[in-house]
Amino acid sequence: MQILYDNHIENATITPSTENPEYDFDTALNDTRLSRVGRTTSDTNQNIVFSFTGTVDVTYIALLTNNLTSGATVTIEANSSDSWGAPPVQETLTYYDGYWVTSFTQETYQYWRLTIDDSSNPDGYLELSYVFLGESLAMPPMLRNQKLPKTTTSTSQKSKRGQLYGNRELIVRTANINFAQAIADSYKTNIDTFFEAVETIKPFIMLVWENSLDVEPPMYCNLTKNLEWSRAKGEDVTWNLTIDVEECF
């Protein structure tokens, strides 16, 4: 399992090739709510340049809620300058149930460019809510039989005669991840750093099975409980942990 939480986009200067002024990317991509979106004014050969004050390390890029069609071509590029004739890094993102994700060997550059061509898009523009650019937190090994419940925020009421009435709301994915194996102290340190960054108030991306995103697509979620570490049996300093998350929108 991989967790994407330390997003370099929060410190980037964002420059789109085109932009609807009523849906600007700087506002949208610096907001954790997926309801805030940025829009281009065209759907063909569009790009967004992310520039930084220095180099940043990247192994993952992910696009969350968007209006891109599955036939879009989405690419991430990187360079040491804002020049894109022949960038040394060029990776194509893969489509997973509405999300776009790719991982690669760590690259370190100051300038990154997201390029999208979706000329068959019926909207005539491209819309993005959240872009992750950064490294991942590798979580400890886990068993395959994890619990991934789907819940609902809908409310219902049944009359005395058995008639059911309700208000349909959201279907929400959740997860209860049990790391059955003892967790090494080095993992605990990294997980504690993650918790201190997000607590229970900041969303992140969870890839339950990062190599099988067609089985379980990326989940944009938050921790619903504090971390409760317990010492595992044995003489080594190892730990047990369960984490609970709920999908965000």
Side-chain angles (χ1 to χ4, degrees):
M1 185 171 79
Q2 302 285 333
I3 287 179
L4 314 181
Y5 76 94
D6 188 10
N7 192 0
H8 292 313
I9 298 297
E10 296 173 4
N11 299 308
T13 298
I14 301 172
T15 308
S17 54
T18 69
E19 182 178 59
N20 183 325
E22 295 183 4
Y23 298 91
D24 69 278
F25 285 98
D26 191 64
T27 298
L29 301 188
N30 282 287
D31 196 311
T32 60
R33 295 170 295 176
L34 300 185
S35 58
R36 300 298 296 269
V37 298
R39 286 182 184 173
T40 64
T41 59
S42 175
D43 57 16
T44 304
N45 295 325
Q46 298 297 292
N47 68 76
I48 305 174
V49 175
F50 303 105
S51 59
F52 301 90
T53 56
T55 60
V56 294
D57 298 332
V58 175
T59 59
Y60 262 96
I61 179 168
L63 314 183
L64 299 188
T65 305
N66 58 80
N67 76 330
L68 308 185
T69 69
S70 59
T73 300
V74 184
T75 305
I76 186 68
E77 301 168 318
N79 206 346
S80 55
S81 64
D82 191 7
S83 177
W84 306 104
V89 175
Q90 189 172 55
E91 300 282 347
T92 300
L93 278 66
T94 304
Y95 175 85
Y96 297 101
D97 194 27
Y99 291 170
W100 296 81
V101 182
T102 196
S103 63
F104 42 86
T105 303
Q106 184 188 86
E107 299 286 0
T108 305
Y109 286 93
Q110 184 175 358
Y111 297 89
W112 294 80
R113 185 173 78 155
L114 179 67
T115 300
I116 306 173
D117 188 276
D118 194 15
S119 57
S120 62
N121 194 305
D123 295 330
Y125 57 80
L126 307 179
E127 183 174 273
L128 299 175
S129 65
Y130 185 87
V131 176
F132 177 88
L133 187 72
E135 296 182 281
S136 67
L137 168 63
M139 297 296 281
M142 62 182 188
L143 300 178
R144 293 172 63 91
N145 59 339
Q146 298 300 317
K147 294 181 180 179
L148 303 171
K150 282 190 176 181
T151 63
T152 178
T153 60
S154 299
T155 57
S156 63
Q157 182 176 3
K158 185 175 286 187
S159 71
K160 292 182 179 180
R161 294 184 176 274
Q163 286 79 39
L164 183 66
Y165 305 90
N167 296 311
R168 186 179 293 275
E169 299 292 343
L170 293 173
I171 300 295
V172 180
R173 290 189 291 164
T174 65
N176 172 259
I177 305 297
N178 178 22
F179 300 101
Q181 301 180 27
I183 298 172
D185 208 47
S186 58
Y187 272 118
K188 182 180 184 297
T189 299
N190 292 336
I191 294 171
D192 281 339
T193 299
F194 154 67
F195 178 73
E196 290 166 8
V198 303
E199 301 185 28
T200 57
I201 60 173
K202 185 176 181 179
F204 54 89
I205 301 172
M206 185 171 72
L207 311 177
V208 180
W209 295 289
E210 67 273 16
N211 296 321
S212 301
L213 295 179
D214 53 336
V215 174
E216 183 65 30
M219 184 188 299
Y220 188 59
C221 56
N222 68 291
L223 292 170
T224 58
K225 295 181 180 178
N226 296 324
L227 300 186
E228 296 184 2
W229 294 100
S230 61
R231 281 285 297 272
K233 293 181 179 180
E235 295 183 1
D236 295 336
V237 180
T238 55
W239 304 87
N240 293 322
L241 179 68
T242 299
I243 64 172
D244 293 273
V245 303
E246 182 178 73
E247 191 172 16
C248 297
F249 299 93

